[in-house]
Amino acid sequence: MYKHILLPVDGSDLSLRAADTGIALARQIGARVHALHVVVPLPAVPFLNEIIATSDSEYANSAEEAGARYLAAVRERADAAGVPCQCSLETDPRPHHAILQVAQREGCDLIAMGSHGWRGLDRLLLGSEAQRVILESTVPVLVCR
C-alpha cells in the first residue's frame, strides 16, 4: 500500500480538507505525509517592470509567510493524528510542475489534493492544477472535492 503521501495545499478550505483526508488515510495505513505549498511568482510584464520590481519582494515575502502558515496548519493536523510530516515550500510559475517534481524527489507514492471542480468557461480561463497533475503524474492521485 502507500507509504508516503504528498499533500499539496494552497491555503483554501478545500485543500486543507484534502490534506485532512490524506492524513486520515496515512494514519490508517501507517504512512507518512509531505505537505507542499507552491508560491507562484508575479508575472513579469514589460511595461510594469518598475512598479512590479518594488512590490515583487513584498509579494514574495508575503506569499512565503502565507505558505508557511498553510504548512504549519497541515503539520499541526498530522501531529495531532500521530502521522509523521515533512513540509516544503517551492516557487514555480506552474504549480502542477512543482507538485510532480516534489512527488518524484521525495519518493511519494500517492498525491492527495483538492479540486475546485470548475467547469465550462471557468475551467478554460482558470485551468485546473489537479487536472494537470492527474494527466502528468506517474503515481496515483486522490482528488477531493
mmCIF file of all heavy atoms in Angstrom, residues 36-55:
data_model
loop_
_atom_site.group_PDB
_atom_site.id
_atom_site.type_symbol
_atom_site.label_atom_id
_atom_site.label_comp_id
_atom_site.label_asym_id
_atom_site.label_seq_id
_atom_site.Cartn_x
_atom_site.Cartn_y
_atom_site.Cartn_z
ATOM 1 N N LEU A 36 3.094 20.303 0.934
ATOM 2 C CA LEU A 36 3.756 21.165 -0.039
ATOM 3 C C LEU A 36 2.898 22.379 -0.331
ATOM 4 O O LEU A 36 1.685 22.258 -0.543
ATOM 5 C CB LEU A 36 3.994 20.388 -1.345
ATOM 6 C CG LEU A 36 4.417 21.206 -2.564
ATOM 7 C CD1 LEU A 36 5.814 21.793 -2.367
ATOM 8 C CD2 LEU A 36 4.352 20.360 -3.818
ATOM 9 N N HIS A 37 3.536 23.537 -0.349
ATOM 10 C CA HIS A 37 2.880 24.749 -0.840
ATOM 11 C C HIS A 37 3.758 25.329 -1.937
ATOM 12 O O HIS A 37 4.973 25.432 -1.772
ATOM 13 C CB HIS A 37 2.679 25.787 0.267
ATOM 14 C CG HIS A 37 2.068 27.051 -0.252
ATOM 15 N ND1 HIS A 37 0.740 27.139 -0.637
ATOM 16 C CD2 HIS A 37 2.604 28.262 -0.513
ATOM 17 C CE1 HIS A 37 0.495 28.352 -1.079
ATOM 18 N NE2 HIS A 37 1.610 29.055 -1.015
ATOM 19 N N VAL A 38 3.136 25.696 -3.050
ATOM 20 C CA VAL A 38 3.862 26.274 -4.174
ATOM 21 C C VAL A 38 3.526 27.750 -4.273
ATOM 22 O O VAL A 38 2.359 28.127 -4.402
ATOM 23 C CB VAL A 38 3.512 25.568 -5.505
ATOM 24 C CG1 VAL A 38 4.312 26.177 -6.653
ATOM 25 C CG2 VAL A 38 3.757 24.067 -5.402
ATOM 26 N N VAL A 39 4.563 28.581 -4.188
ATOM 27 C CA VAL A 39 4.413 30.019 -4.368
ATOM 28 C C VAL A 39 4.558 30.300 -5.860
ATOM 29 O O VAL A 39 5.548 29.899 -6.480
ATOM 30 C CB VAL A 39 5.488 30.808 -3.587
ATOM 31 C CG1 VAL A 39 5.416 32.292 -3.910
ATOM 32 C CG2 VAL A 39 5.333 30.562 -2.095
ATOM 33 N N VAL A 40 3.566 30.968 -6.428
ATOM 34 C CA VAL A 40 3.610 31.344 -7.836
ATOM 35 C C VAL A 40 4.136 32.779 -7.909
ATOM 36 O O VAL A 40 3.531 33.688 -7.337
ATOM 37 C CB VAL A 40 2.209 31.251 -8.480
ATOM 38 C CG1 VAL A 40 2.244 31.703 -9.934
ATOM 39 C CG2 VAL A 40 1.672 29.840 -8.352
ATOM 40 N N PRO A 41 5.292 32.988 -8.577
ATOM 41 C CA PRO A 41 5.842 34.347 -8.648
ATOM 42 C C PRO A 41 4.962 35.271 -9.482
ATOM 43 O O PRO A 41 4.187 34.809 -10.333
ATOM 44 C CB PRO A 41 7.214 34.147 -9.310
ATOM 45 C CG PRO A 41 7.161 32.830 -9.971
ATOM 46 C CD PRO A 41 6.106 32.011 -9.272
ATOM 47 N N LEU A 42 5.101 36.560 -9.214
ATOM 48 C CA LEU A 42 4.384 37.538 -10.034
ATOM 49 C C LEU A 42 4.885 37.449 -11.469
ATOM 50 O O LEU A 42 6.092 37.315 -11.695
ATOM 51 C CB LEU A 42 4.649 38.960 -9.515
ATOM 52 C CG LEU A 42 3.887 39.409 -8.287
ATOM 53 C CD1 LEU A 42 4.387 40.769 -7.823
ATOM 54 C CD2 LEU A 42 2.400 39.481 -8.564
ATOM 55 N N PRO A 43 3.988 37.533 -12.439
ATOM 56 C CA PRO A 43 4.450 37.503 -13.829
ATOM 57 C C PRO A 43 5.161 38.807 -14.185
ATOM 58 O O PRO A 43 4.808 39.872 -13.690
ATOM 59 C CB PRO A 43 3.162 37.346 -14.633
ATOM 60 C CG PRO A 43 2.090 37.854 -13.742
ATOM 61 C CD PRO A 43 2.551 37.605 -12.328
ATOM 62 N N ALA A 44 6.179 38.698 -15.017
ATOM 63 C CA ALA A 44 6.897 39.888 -15.480
ATOM 64 C C ALA A 44 6.134 40.479 -16.657
ATOM 65 O O ALA A 44 5.912 39.834 -17.669
ATOM 66 C CB ALA A 44 8.309 39.520 -15.902
ATOM 67 N N VAL A 45 5.717 41.724 -16.500
ATOM 68 C CA VAL A 45 5.017 42.437 -17.562
ATOM 69 C C VAL A 45 5.901 43.623 -17.933
ATOM 70 O O VAL A 45 6.145 44.490 -17.095
ATOM 71 C CB VAL A 45 3.620 42.918 -17.091
ATOM 72 C CG1 VAL A 45 2.904 43.659 -18.204
ATOM 73 C CG2 VAL A 45 2.805 41.736 -16.592
ATOM 74 N N PRO A 46 6.414 43.662 -19.177
ATOM 75 C CA PRO A 46 7.414 44.664 -19.549
ATOM 76 C C PRO A 46 7.084 46.098 -19.166
ATOM 77 O O PRO A 46 7.902 46.784 -18.577
ATOM 78 C CB PRO A 46 7.512 44.520 -21.071
ATOM 79 C CG PRO A 46 7.095 43.116 -21.343
ATOM 80 C CD PRO A 46 6.079 42.790 -20.285
ATOM 81 N N PHE A 47 5.890 46.573 -19.434
ATOM 82 C CA PHE A 47 5.584 47.968 -19.148
ATOM 83 C C PHE A 47 5.325 48.241 -17.667
ATOM 84 O O PHE A 47 5.228 49.378 -17.251
ATOM 85 C CB PHE A 47 4.426 48.469 -20.008
ATOM 86 C CG PHE A 47 3.127 47.755 -19.757
ATOM 87 C CD1 PHE A 47 2.240 48.211 -18.804
ATOM 88 C CD2 PHE A 47 2.799 46.619 -20.494
ATOM 89 C CE1 PHE A 47 1.041 47.542 -18.581
ATOM 90 C CE2 PHE A 47 1.602 45.964 -20.281
ATOM 91 C CZ PHE A 47 0.719 46.422 -19.321
ATOM 92 N N LEU A 48 5.229 47.179 -16.857
ATOM 93 C CA LEU A 48 5.011 47.364 -15.427
ATOM 94 C C LEU A 48 6.237 46.975 -14.591
ATOM 95 O O LEU A 48 6.152 46.906 -13.377
ATOM 96 C CB LEU A 48 3.810 46.528 -14.964
ATOM 97 C CG LEU A 48 2.446 46.951 -15.478
ATOM 98 C CD1 LEU A 48 1.382 45.973 -15.018
ATOM 99 C CD2 LEU A 48 2.103 48.345 -15.018
ATOM 100 N N ASN A 49 7.368 46.721 -15.256
ATOM 101 C CA ASN A 49 8.548 46.241 -14.544
ATOM 102 C C ASN A 49 8.948 47.111 -13.363
ATOM 103 O O ASN A 49 9.298 46.600 -12.309
ATOM 104 C CB ASN A 49 9.735 46.079 -15.495
ATOM 105 C CG ASN A 49 9.747 44.715 -16.143
ATOM 106 O OD1 ASN A 49 8.987 43.830 -15.746
ATOM 107 N ND2 ASN A 49 10.585 44.548 -17.142
ATOM 108 N N GLU A 50 8.929 48.416 -13.530
ATOM 109 C CA GLU A 50 9.363 49.293 -12.435
ATOM 110 C C GLU A 50 8.411 49.201 -11.246
ATOM 111 O O GLU A 50 8.838 49.174 -10.096
ATOM 112 C CB GLU A 50 9.488 50.737 -12.915
ATOM 113 C CG GLU A 50 10.674 50.936 -13.841
ATOM 114 C CD GLU A 50 10.794 52.368 -14.288
ATOM 115 O OE1 GLU A 50 10.431 53.276 -13.510
ATOM 116 O OE2 GLU A 50 11.253 52.581 -15.419
ATOM 117 N N ILE A 51 7.128 49.156 -11.504
ATOM 118 C CA ILE A 51 6.146 49.048 -10.423
ATOM 119 C C ILE A 51 6.267 47.688 -9.749
ATOM 120 O O ILE A 51 6.280 47.583 -8.529
ATOM 121 C CB ILE A 51 4.716 49.257 -10.964
ATOM 122 C CG1 ILE A 51 4.568 50.672 -11.505
ATOM 123 C CG2 ILE A 51 3.680 48.960 -9.892
ATOM 124 C CD1 ILE A 51 3.291 50.899 -12.279
ATOM 125 N N ILE A 52 6.374 46.649 -10.559
ATOM 126 C CA ILE A 52 6.452 45.295 -10.021
ATOM 127 C C ILE A 52 7.746 45.084 -9.244
ATOM 128 O O ILE A 52 7.756 44.417 -8.221
ATOM 129 C CB ILE A 52 6.299 44.247 -11.142
ATOM 130 C CG1 ILE A 52 4.868 44.285 -11.662
ATOM 131 C CG2 ILE A 52 6.654 42.858 -10.651
ATOM 132 C CD1 ILE A 52 4.604 43.395 -12.845
ATOM 133 N N ALA A 53 8.844 45.677 -9.695
ATOM 134 C CA ALA A 53 10.134 45.489 -9.015
ATOM 135 C C ALA A 53 10.062 45.933 -7.564
ATOM 136 O O ALA A 53 10.648 45.305 -6.685
ATOM 137 C CB ALA A 53 11.231 46.252 -9.749
ATOM 138 N N THR A 54 9.330 47.001 -7.282
ATOM 139 C CA THR A 54 9.242 47.470 -5.902
ATOM 140 C C THR A 54 8.333 46.580 -5.059
ATOM 141 O O THR A 54 8.547 46.425 -3.870
ATOM 142 C CB THR A 54 8.731 48.926 -5.840
ATOM 143 O OG1 THR A 54 7.455 48.988 -6.464
ATOM 144 C CG2 THR A 54 9.701 49.872 -6.511
ATOM 145 N N SER A 55 7.327 45.994 -5.687
ATOM 146 C CA SER A 55 6.401 45.181 -4.904
ATOM 147 C C SER A 55 6.695 43.687 -5.002
ATOM 148 O O SER A 55 6.112 42.903 -4.261
ATOM 149 C CB SER A 55 4.964 45.450 -5.338
ATOM 150 O OG SER A 55 4.792 45.075 -6.684
#
